[in-house]
Amino acid sequence: MKPASWSYAESFVAEDDVLAAARARAEEVGVVPISPGCGAALRFLAAVLEARAVVEIGTGTGVSGLWLLRGMRPDGVLTTVDVEAEHQRLAKESFAEGAIPAQRARTISGAALDVLPRLTDGHYDLVFCDGDKREYSAYLKEALRLLRPGGVVAFDNALWHDRVADPAQRDDQTVAVRELGKEVAEHESLVPVLLPVGDGLLLAKKEWAGDAA
């Protein structure tokens, strides 16, 4: 894809002032948020799923949370997890500016692999993962437990700065993302797709019982 076409696709759904402010907060604290194209894909996915309950790993300053909440049902609740309490404070500011009712965004401060086991099995429509790349495989295992049948797990940075497609790149994070892709593609209970938006968005639907037959 030519750079001009990629840029056109990324900006196809424009961001408003609320998202711009959330991005500015991210830059101030050194957080790299999802791209506009990835955000639009997440909003679309949440809307198609008519998502009522979503888990997000990696709150940041609320950019991805805003996109997700805008796609979810009006009564939907986002449960977002991050190790940085200060980032979550800034995310709450972003949500407030976006007129998101406080009860629709549940922020939990802590390590994802400590928090996720405490969440309810089979309760969630969508799990979005944008945390420690080396923990992606562990996030997948938790997501499969948390998702209802027909729910979707999503992973940001699935192309990891063009490193995943280059077999010569063998650093820990690249290898972890590459192995996750293989695991998702080969999983008999998942229907996967890798979208070249942002830094790569890997999606997989958890099949309904009997779908694989």
Side-chain angles (χ1 to χ4, degrees):
M1 184 183 295
K2 293 181 179 179
S5 293
W6 185 88
S7 296
Y8 179 81
E10 278 290 316
S11 60
F12 182 73
V13 180
E15 293 193 323
D16 60 12
D17 291 343
V18 173
L19 280 162
R23 286 191 180 279
R25 293 186 182 97
E27 185 174 354
E28 289 174 3
V29 296
V31 169
V32 180
I34 61 170
S35 74
C38 185
L42 289 176
R43 185 184 68 170
F44 177 83
L45 182 61
V48 167
L49 291 169
E50 297 185 352
R52 188 192 302 269
V54 174
V55 174
E56 176 186 49
I57 301 168
T59 308
T61 58
V63 175
S64 51
L66 284 168
W67 278 110
L68 287 164
L69 284 159
R70 289 175 177 184
M72 295 167 64
R73 292 168 52 107
D75 59 346
V77 175
L78 173 70
T79 298
T80 182
V81 182
D82 203 296
V83 294
E84 297 288 347
E86 173 62 13
H87 295 173
Q88 291 192 321
R89 185 187 69 78
L90 294 173
K92 289 178 181 178
E93 291 184 11
S94 299
F95 297 155
E97 286 185 5
I100 303 295
Q103 66 271 20
R104 291 197 59 208
R106 178 173 65 148
T107 57
I108 303 177
S109 180
L113 295 180
D114 292 334
V115 174
L116 296 178
R118 305 201 301 264
L119 302 182
T120 304
D121 292 11
H123 177 70
Y124 297 91
D125 305 293
L126 174 61
V127 176
F128 174 55
C129 307
D130 191 14
D132 188 334
K133 311 312 167 196
R134 293 164 296 187
E135 296 180 348
Y136 266 15
S137 181
Y139 297 164
L140 175 62
K141 292 179 177 62
E142 289 295 329
L144 290 174
R145 177 182 60 79
L146 294 171
L147 287 170
R148 63 166 175 80
V152 173
V153 60
F155 292 89
D156 189 30
N157 303 116
L159 297 174
W160 195 234
H161 314 307
D162 293 321
R163 298 174 70 86
V164 170
D166 181 358
Q169 304 297 327
R170 300 294 302 171
D171 62 279
D172 288 350
Q173 293 183 92
T174 301
V175 169
V177 177
R178 188 182 294 135
E179 290 301 316
L180 171 81
K182 293 178 181 176
E183 186 177 359
V184 169
E186 296 171 359
H187 201 292
E188 61 183 15
S189 297
L190 295 173
V191 179
V193 64
L194 176 56
L195 302 180
V197 297
D199 192 30
L201 185 63
L202 177 62
L203 307 174
K205 174 195 170 191
K206 179 180 177 180
E207 292 188 315
W208 291 91
D211 277 3

